[in-house]
Amino acid sequence: MTLEVDDITGELEPYLSGRLADGDVTVTDLERHTEGWSRQTMSFTTTWMADGDERSERLVARVDPGQDEERPFDIRNDIQTEFETMRSVSEADIDVPVPDPYWFEDDQSVLGGPFFLVSHRPGTAPVTWNPRDRNSLYDSWDRDGKPLPNHFVDVIANIHELDADDVPCLEARDPQTYVDETLDLQRRSFEEMAIVDEPAVNEIIDWLETNKPEVPETTLVHGDLRIGNMLLHEESVSAVLDWEMSTIGDPMFDVAYSSLKYFAGKLVDPIERPNLVGAVADREWFYDEYEKRTGRTVDRDRLRYWRVFGALRMMNGGIGGAYRYHTGESDDVRSAWFQYIVPGLIEDMLDLIEADRT
Amino acid sequence: MPHLEPAQVIEQFASFLQDDVRAEIDDEFVEGQVGSMSSTMRYLATQLRQQRAVTRRQRAALLEALEAVERDCEESAVTDAAADARERIEHASEADGDDLEPVLVSTCNDVLDTINAELEGDAANEARKPLYDFLRVRVEGQLEMLGRDTA
């Protein structure tokens, strides 16, 4: 369901009046953000009177209109868990900027699905497939003192300070069970949804089955951690967004996933600076700095495993989109387009496994 | 029928959507959909132009790989699978990419499955090597169909 701007404003004003403030709340400048798929994100300005003064605050609502739909192989947590995860991070004594979490609402009559409200944070999320944004990130890496690359690695290291006890809404799992279950889900997803039974992908899955890593510890894992899921403002990370795939797992997953070439802007053509993680930090510098900040060793075998796995999971997202379009389950144009991420990811995965297989 | 080349028509429609239609849309969601539509149509146009040549290149690469497997591998189950695959490809129509590509995919999977079941270690790696050359040709062809410049 696509929510219309006028409808949203009309629903939000009475809902927020008496909740956000004692009196009437007006909603203006509502903007729908297009980056979401089934979860829709919108920002708006709220205004109310308090003690004779006009108060104003910009808020963000994230809605899941498809919460009750069946979504096979969907690895996202429900939207309440996404909110609770963000709240746990916000309340923890660590430097990981997230929007201030306000509240979760499960009454679907307001916005057509359960939703949560958070504060609006300054900054923009870079789109690394856009050359302009990519070049801006390259400039950040070349800048003296490297403030943004340093904050990028700080944020990732700090997320991994939290464990299952700090984020009670996420299920704690045995590390090896985590590896087995995540791979099994992705294998079944490919088997069920692939329109073409790509031999390269079968080889990649076979390699993943054969090379499962020993995972010595689990921490909070963001699960979709990349520069494009961060708001950047004045050479720092002003917010980490999209906590819907968070889990308790191997912290190396986030390190590996954030360093996929795909998230540095590679789609079809090779990128200009493939050694920059997220187009913003030299790969070896990034791994070294993560080690310095956390005291962990970035195990290169585990790292490689999770890079292959992360690329496979991303590729399955593209294949799943094409499958839903193919079966008529979705008529979203982006679902049809999403197939085009597949070959570039297969190329990257072959680069990572070929030496072991030939 | 066609008097116009399909790829050219699709490409020009894609340009019209991107350059003229998007600018007239004030709904961010619909504008995004039209942008994705335009991008998809550009990819489809390149695919229409190049698919046949790319499939032929894959066919040649896979036949070469299978010959190498038959020649160099000492495991009869593998060489039998490679010989069977080569025969199936040679019998498949070379002219029609739509019919040929599933045969290439299926035969490559069959031979790789046999290698993975029958061989281990260095022997498996040696047997797989020529087939990985085919996998590279295949993925490079797919990227070329999306517009990667291979010149």
Side-chain angles (χ1 to χ4, degrees):
Chain A
M1 186 179 95
T2 301
L3 301 162
E4 299 301 329
V5 168
D6 289 345
D7 295 341
I8 299 166
T9 303
E11 294 291 343
L12 277 174
E13 286 183 339
Y15 175 79
L16 292 171
S17 299
R19 283 185 172 85
L20 186 65
D22 289 338
D24 290 344
V25 175
T26 57
V27 170
T28 54
D29 301 326
L30 191 140
E31 185 183 351
R32 282 194 309 166
H33 300 275
T34 54
E35 62 270 24
W37 284 66
S38 61
R39 281 181 198 170
Q40 299 173 9
T41 306
M42 60 201 75
S43 59
F44 47 89
T45 301
T46 54
T47 310
W48 68 93
M49 296 299 291
D51 302 326
D53 295 326
E54 186 177 278
R55 305 281 175 84
S56 183
E57 184 172 1
R58 192 147 181 90
L59 299 178
V60 174
R62 190 153 158 87
V63 191
D64 188 0
Q67 163 113 324
D68 298 330
E69 292 168 9
E70 193 181 341
R71 295 170 178 150
F73 307 114
D74 189 349
I75 58 169
R76 293 172 308 161
N77 299 318
D78 62 53
I79 193 165
Q80 183 170 10
T81 304
E82 181 184 1
F83 175 76
E84 297 292 347
T85 304
M86 209 187 313
R87 184 156 66 183
S88 294
V89 174
S90 172
E91 290 172 353
D93 184 22
I94 54 167
D95 175 20
V96 177
V98 290
D100 297 328
Y102 280 30
W103 66 80
F104 170 76
E105 176 59 70
D106 63 3
D107 180 353
Q108 303 198 21
S109 69
V110 184
L111 293 177
F115 68 95
F116 63 73
L117 285 174
V118 295
S119 65
H120 182 266
R121 300 295 294 250
T124 53
V127 178
T128 50
W129 302 283
N130 178 324
R132 186 193 56 202
D133 286 11
R134 206 160 59 236
N135 281 315
S136 172
L137 291 167
Y138 294 160
D139 290 344
S140 291
W141 170 249
D142 294 333
R143 189 160 285 125
D144 287 346
K146 306 190 184 312
L148 179 58
N150 271 293
H151 202 204
F152 176 69
V153 71
D154 276 343
V155 163
I156 296 173
N158 291 340
I159 289 171
H160 298 157
E161 283 189 26
L162 302 183
D163 62 21
D165 292 340
D166 299 308
V167 195
C169 64
L170 298 177
E171 182 192 357
R173 286 184 289 178
D174 166 71
Q176 291 315 123
T177 306
Y178 164 74
V179 175
D180 293 343
E181 287 181 356
T182 50
L183 178 58
D184 183 59
L185 185 73
Q186 294 305 318
R187 182 184 50 72
R188 287 188 291 112
S189 171
F190 176 72
E191 286 172 358
E192 184 143 328
M193 295 204 273
I195 298 168
V196 177
D197 189 19
E198 277 294 342
V201 179
N202 291 324
E203 276 293 294
I204 288 155
I205 291 172
D206 203 49
W207 183 88
L208 285 165
E209 295 279 6
T210 309
N211 291 278
K212 285 180 183 173
E214 293 281 328
V215 176
E217 61 165 341
T218 55
T219 67
L220 172 63
V221 170
H222 178 282
D224 192 12
L225 194 58
R226 52 193 170 90
I227 194 80
N229 269 341
M230 296 179 183
L231 294 182
L232 307 182
H233 182 63
E234 295 178 349
E235 291 298 310
S236 69
V237 178
S238 56
V240 181
L241 306 176
D242 286 356
W243 293 82
E244 64 191 13
M245 290 202 255
S246 295
T247 188
I248 301 298
D250 185 351
M252 283 305 109
F253 175 79
D254 278 341
V255 177
Y257 185 81
S258 59
S259 63
L260 291 180
K261 286 182 187 171
Y262 176 72
F263 295 127
K266 181 196 166 184
L267 185 62
V268 171
D269 289 311
I271 42 179
E272 305 86 353
R273 299 174 74 172
N275 283 334
L276 293 189
V277 167
V280 78
D282 176 79
R283 187 172 299 279
E284 290 306 317
W285 179 92
F286 173 66
Y287 300 147
D288 289 348
E289 292 297 318
Y290 179 87
E291 288 187 341
K292 283 182 200 163
R293 283 155 168 82
T294 62
R296 292 187 183 93
T297 300
V298 175
D299 178 322
R300 298 311 162 108
D301 287 338
R302 252 160 81 214
L303 185 78
R304 181 160 65 118
Y305 185 87
W306 291 123
R307 285 179 71 192
V308 176
F309 177 85
L312 177 79
R313 198 187 81 181
M314 194 63 230
M315 183 210 74
N316 269 342
I319 284 176
Y323 176 79
R324 284 185 286 278
Y325 198 86
H326 174 71
T327 58
E329 187 186 327
S330 167
D331 61 359
D332 189 325
V333 180
R334 294 171 300 177
S335 294
W337 182 91
F338 216 17
Q339 66 183 307
Y340 299 122
I341 71 170
V342 172
L345 286 163
I346 290 178
E347 182 182 53
D348 293 345
M349 289 187 281
L350 283 176
D351 286 345
L352 289 164
I353 72 158
E354 187 167 359
D356 283 359
R357 300 288 287 185
T358 61
Chain B
M1 144 60 180
H3 299 280
L4 297 168
E5 188 204 355
Q8 184 193 3
V9 174
I10 293 173
E11 207 157 56
Q12 288 183 353
F13 284 8
S15 295
F16 177 66
L17 287 174
Q18 180 67 25
D19 301 338
D20 299 289
V21 176
R22 280 188 85 177
E24 299 297 319
I25 299 171
D26 59 6
D27 183 299
E28 199 181 341
F29 177 77
V30 177
E31 190 210 336
Q33 292 278 296
V34 171
S36 295
M37 199 179 291
S38 168
S39 173
T40 302
M41 288 167 77
R42 282 188 195 282
Y43 287 140
L44 290 172
T46 327
Q47 184 179 343
L48 273 173
R49 284 208 173 93
Q50 301 193 16
Q51 186 158 27
R52 182 169 292 190
V54 166
T55 306
R56 282 185 182 160
R57 211 182 311 148
Q58 286 182 42
R59 177 185 185 275
L62 184 52
L63 284 173
E64 193 178 322
L66 294 169
E67 281 170 18
V69 172
E70 275 187 85
R71 184 182 63 239
D72 299 333
C73 185
E74 293 176 357
E75 170 57 52
S76 61
V78 173
T79 53
D80 288 351
D84 177 62
R86 195 163 49 78
E87 199 171 318
R88 282 161 61 198
I89 294 165
E90 282 170 348
H91 280 91
S93 160
E94 191 179 350
D96 191 336
D98 287 347
D99 286 343
L100 181 58
E101 199 197 352
V103 177
L104 301 179
V105 167
S106 156
T107 51
C108 182
N109 274 325
D110 288 349
V111 179
L112 281 168
D113 283 349
T114 309
I115 292 169
N116 294 337
E118 301 292 335
L119 300 172
E120 290 181 339
D122 290 345
N125 284 4
E126 281 300 313
R128 276 192 292 257
K129 195 171 178 49
L131 292 164
Y132 268 67
D133 292 340
F134 163 71
L135 297 181
R136 287 290 183 182
V137 169
R138 177 167 169 77
V139 77
E140 283 160 12
Q142 290 169 334
L143 289 163
E144 201 178 316
M145 281 196 288
L146 298 182
R148 179 184 281 188
D149 185 4
T150 54

